[in-house]
Amino acid sequence: MSSSPRIPAMDVLRGCAVMGIVWMNITAFALPQNAYINPAVSGWTGAGDVVFWAISLLFVDGKMRGLFALLFGASMLLLIDREEMAGRDGRRTQMVRLGWLFVLGCAHFFLLWWGDILRVYALVGLFAMLFVRLEPLDLVKRAFLFFLLQFLLVAAFIASLYLWRNGAAAPDASIAMRTGFTDFMSALSDPANTATQGEILTYRSGFATILQSKLAEFPGEWVWGFLFTAFETLGFMLLGMAMLKGGFLTGGWEAEQYRRTARHCFLIGLPPMAALALWVWWSGFAPLPAYGVALVWSLPFRIPLTVGWAALILWLMARHRTSPLVGRIAAAGRMTLSNYLGTSLIMTALFYGWGLGLFGHVRPALLPLFVLAIWAVMLLWSKPYAARFAMGPAEWVWRSLCLSRPQKIRKIT
């Protein structure tokens, strides 16, 4: 269910975000979950594998997810305004929309992929509605308050791990404490760890075994996943609302303003991110540095880098507005939900046991080949489809559910 009329700048941003997130998600599709945080868990740490991890950490991890959240917050605001201008209850419409998005996210999680973000967006979006009437500066202030809360929450968790390590190293530490800490750290760094090997066996198995594993982890995994992302997601949603009201996300700024913003944001965010990557590499991909960087220490720098990506994309769009590639990316953005869910379908079919069963067999250095293939699919199908149909297939399902009746999908010619 999307805002109408379309805003070309936001479609291009969505297209870039849905393509960019494939780069980061490919690790979670193809390898054990903790390889997303530490490449050592994959069992491969050659030069190409480390380069892939470093590029992901510096340029992609958290930034594309943040870009999605920016756009989601802006889209919520657009939908509410549109509904109220038509004399309808915009907040009620938004709540219905989020409710059905949560249902779709649950289906995505159980039937396809554990890394679903739709459920988080649906739940966090309910809280974001409380702030839609605020002025841009007030939205920015509250966004950074939620960023701070997220930082403090995950920093406290990482601090507890250091305390656990010190306690386990104490001469009077119990065997249970030492064993528990060793097993936890092993799962974050050792490809031979029992839990890691069990995960590989699970995802090389059939659909029923994978589903049973997800049911066994529910709801604990959901709660932890929500806590580790909710405040950050809410912050980006509010920041997106402020950027929409300020004309940033609509392409309303001058090209030079976008260029300067991108330059400043990357200068702020990239050097410390590079230092964090070097720290993890210098530690030999030790679990605590890798885990800490992924969860908390990179958070302050993900914020400017997310805004920097948005500014860079909009600057390039302003310079190449008539490029065929820009048109194809915008078409992919109009089909964001379909491309997001379609990626999960293709990737799980490639890597899970009910498909080709490549899970754990492909080293990180080769994963960009799969990313390029998915990008090609998105760019090739989205534009001709968008020329004939008003919305993507997943968008049609979502909109039909929200409005309690099937919607017209073909464009009127």
Side-chain angles (χ1 to χ4, degrees):
M1 193 168 180
S2 58
S3 301
S4 179
R6 308 296 310 187
I7 298 176
M10 291 182 64
D11 283 336
V12 171
L13 286 171
R14 288 190 189 96
C16 290
V18 77
M19 292 174 66
I21 208 167
V22 175
W23 180 284
M24 201 63 224
N25 285 352
I26 188 64
T27 302
F29 282 121
L31 296 167
Q33 184 172 346
N34 285 325
Y36 187 95
I37 295 170
N38 189 347
V41 177
S42 72
W44 288 290
T45 53
D49 309 306
V50 172
V51 168
F52 172 76
W53 164 80
I55 292 173
S56 302
L57 178 66
L58 265 64
F59 295 102
V60 186
D61 183 28
K63 293 81 176 176
M64 296 300 109
R65 188 172 65 246
L67 188 53
F68 261 137
L70 286 177
L71 295 164
F72 194 89
S75 296
M76 288 178 58
L77 193 58
L78 287 171
L79 177 69
I80 291 174
D81 287 347
R82 186 192 74 193
E83 290 293 292
E84 292 184 350
M85 287 181 66
R88 295 185 288 265
D89 187 340
R91 291 175 185 267
R92 181 184 181 281
T93 300
Q94 185 63 69
M95 290 181 67
V96 172
R97 182 177 185 255
L98 294 173
W100 281 113
L101 185 66
F102 183 81
V103 172
L104 292 174
C106 290
H108 181 218
F109 174 85
F110 286 113
L111 300 179
L112 287 177
W113 186 47
W114 62 265
D116 169 73
I117 60 171
L118 303 179
R119 294 163 297 122
V120 175
Y121 281 17
L123 294 174
V124 173
L126 292 173
F127 293 96
M129 285 199 300
L130 299 173
F131 305 95
V132 295
R133 299 305 178 203
L134 295 181
E135 294 298 318
L137 182 58
D138 293 323
L139 285 166
V140 171
K141 289 178 180 178
R142 282 159 178 78
F144 278 89
L145 173 62
F146 288 119
F147 290 142
L148 177 61
L149 289 174
Q150 184 72 65
F151 181 86
L152 294 175
L153 177 64
V154 288
F157 174 73
I158 294 298
S160 73
L161 296 183
Y162 279 96
L163 291 174
W164 191 9
R165 182 190 66 178
N166 295 338
D172 59 345
S174 66
I175 295 177
M177 175 177 282
R178 292 177 179 174
T179 302
F181 180 77
T182 300
D183 289 344
F184 188 87
M185 290 296 110
S186 174
L188 296 175
S189 59
D190 184 4
N193 175 265
T194 302
T196 300
Q197 289 300 310
E199 185 180 351
I200 291 173
L201 287 175
T202 295
Y203 284 99
R204 288 179 184 172
S205 301
F207 179 84
T209 301
I210 295 172
L211 177 59
Q212 184 178 8
S213 173
K214 291 178 181 178
L215 291 170
E217 295 171 352
F218 176 82
E221 286 289 321
W222 280 27
V223 173
W224 281 107
F226 184 78
L227 287 175
F228 283 168
T229 58
F231 287 128
E232 181 181 357
T233 301
L234 180 55
F236 277 120
M237 286 185 183
L238 299 190
L239 199 57
M241 292 179 186
M243 293 166 74
L244 176 72
K245 291 184 177 185
F248 182 101
L249 292 180
T250 62
W253 288 16
E254 295 293 331
E256 181 60 22
Q257 289 180 285
Y258 286 121
R259 188 191 69 82
R260 288 199 302 267
T261 301
R263 181 187 64 190
H264 293 156
C265 287
F266 280 105
L267 285 175
I268 292 169
L270 271 184
M273 284 296 300
L276 291 173
L278 285 172
W279 175 39
V280 175
W281 174 77
W282 188 261
S283 75
F285 297 103
L288 277 177
Y291 204 36
V293 167
L295 286 183
V296 58
W297 311 131
S298 63
L299 174 57
F301 314 112
R302 293 201 295 263
I303 301 165
L305 288 174
T306 297
V307 176
W309 268 117
L312 178 62
I313 292 165
L314 292 173
W315 174 63
L316 292 173
M317 175 188 167
R319 288 172 55 88
H320 307 282
R321 197 176 301 273
T322 60
S323 167
L325 180 59
V326 171
R328 287 190 175 274
I329 293 173
R334 289 196 289 274
M335 255 69 74
T336 298
L337 184 60
S338 295
N339 278 315
Y340 174 69
L341 296 177
T343 296
S344 293
L345 178 60
I346 294 171
M347 289 304 183
T348 51
L350 288 173
F351 292 105
Y352 286 7
W354 55 263
L356 295 183
L358 297 178
F359 190 86
H361 286 304
V362 181
R363 67 183 307 152
L366 298 178
L367 294 180
L369 298 177
F370 293 86
V371 174
L372 292 175
I374 286 294
W375 286 356
V377 171
M378 287 184 182
L379 295 176
L380 288 173
W381 89 276
S382 296
K383 189 171 178 60
Y385 181 94
R388 297 183 60 190
F389 298 95
M391 64 194 81
E395 286 79 4
W396 176 82
V397 171
W398 187 18
R399 190 177 182 90
S400 297
L401 288 170
C402 290
L403 298 176
S404 301
R405 62 183 183 277
Q407 298 298 293
K408 293 181 179 179
I409 191 171
R410 282 186 175 274
K411 286 185 174 179
I412 299 174
T413 57

